[in-house]
Amino acid sequence: ATQCKACEQGCYCPEGAAAALPCEGGSYSSATDNDEQGDCTPAGAGFFAVTGSTEQTPCAKGSYTDASMAVKDSCTLCVGGTYQDETGATQCKACEQGCYCPEGAA
């Protein structure tokens, strides 16, 4: 007798699927009962999720994601003249007067 397997975390399993399909970049899931890509949760502002993620990851210092980004599969480095000294940021801060802030400054 053959039995269906539970879907894997970070994936979705359409009816009749031969294998689990990973949640697309910018989304994640820890559930094992997803049956369509829409069941994967979009990453929030300040976070990202690579393909097949089981959870969202906060952006590192020196980078960010914001609500205007449709797909959050990676974080954007702060441009020169700005910095971000916290993780999970949604924007970069202006470099302080008299200081130098290269791209990705933290």
Side-chain angles (χ1 to χ4, degrees):
T2 306
Q3 281 189 309
C4 293
K5 297 179 181 178
C7 198
E8 301 169 27
Q9 290 183 331
C11 297
Y12 64 101
C13 298
E15 186 174 344
L21 302 173
C23 290
E24 294 175 0
S27 65
Y28 66 98
S29 179
S30 60
T32 57
D33 61 353
N34 296 333
D35 57 9
E36 58 185 39
Q37 169 62 39
D39 292 334
C40 299
T41 304
F47 294 83
F48 73 101
V50 297
T51 300
S53 292
T54 58
E55 60 186 17
Q56 61 182 354
T57 303
C59 290
K61 292 178 180 181
S63 66
Y64 73 100
T65 62
D66 65 31
S68 71
M69 301 168 131
V71 176
K72 298 174 194 69
D73 57 356
S74 64
C75 298
T76 302
L77 290 176
C78 293
V79 297
T82 65
Y83 75 101
Q84 182 48 258
D85 56 355
E86 299 175 24
T87 60
T90 59
Q91 63 184 11
C92 297
K93 303 172 184 177
C95 195
E96 295 173 17
Q97 189 171 359
C99 295
Y100 172 69
C101 298
E103 181 181 53

